Amino acid sequence: MSLLARPLRAAVCTVLVLSGCVTAGPAAAGEPGCAHGRVLRYVVTFDRGTAEPAARSEIAAACGATTVYYPQIAVAVATSGDPGFGGRIGLDRAFSAQGERLAAQRATEVRPQPVR
């Protein structure tokens, strides 16, 4: 895979997700061991040639639900309410703009100072 292929795939899918062209699907389908929290949308990359059933199965096993899969670029849009989804599928393969935004908001929240 060329050095530009992965960033290009991620950029195309991020634009699709953020523009609202793709809607979020249901949360994880009740897999055992899956936690339930705020449902986030992810862009997930796969190896070139990954078939749709294999991609859907891998996402489900990681406590997610596939919204759409683009076999031409081996990228899926998935949703998950499990905070461990990214770690299960692979942090180098899954990206959530919503998760990044929430983490940034949490980092900048003003915390009350203890009274002395």
Side-chain angles (χ1 to χ4, degrees):
M1 181 181 304
S2 76
L3 292 176
L4 295 176
R6 189 171 290 246
L8 180 59
R9 287 192 306 189
V12 168
C13 290
T14 301
V15 168
L16 287 172
V17 170
L18 295 177
S19 69
C21 293
V22 179
T23 59
E31 290 284 329
C34 295
H36 300 286
R38 181 178 182 151
V39 177
L40 299 177
R41 191 170 28 236
Y42 295 83
V43 175
V44 182
T45 61
F46 292 90
D47 291 329
R48 182 179 299 182
T50 301
E52 185 170 353
R56 286 183 179 279
S57 176
E58 191 172 340
I59 288 170
C63 299
T66 304
T67 302
V68 65
Y69 180 65
Y70 298 98
Q72 305 87 343
I73 57 173
V75 171
V77 177
T79 58
S80 179
D82 188 317
F85 175 78
R88 283 189 187 98
I89 201 86
L91 294 175
D92 62 332
R93 297 178 48 214
F95 173 76
S96 173
Q98 293 170 314
E100 293 291 320
R101 187 183 71 237
L102 289 171
Q105 286 173 346
R106 285 186 202 115
T108 60
E109 286 178 350
V110 178
R111 294 193 172 97
Q113 296 296 320
V115 178
R116 294 181 188 214

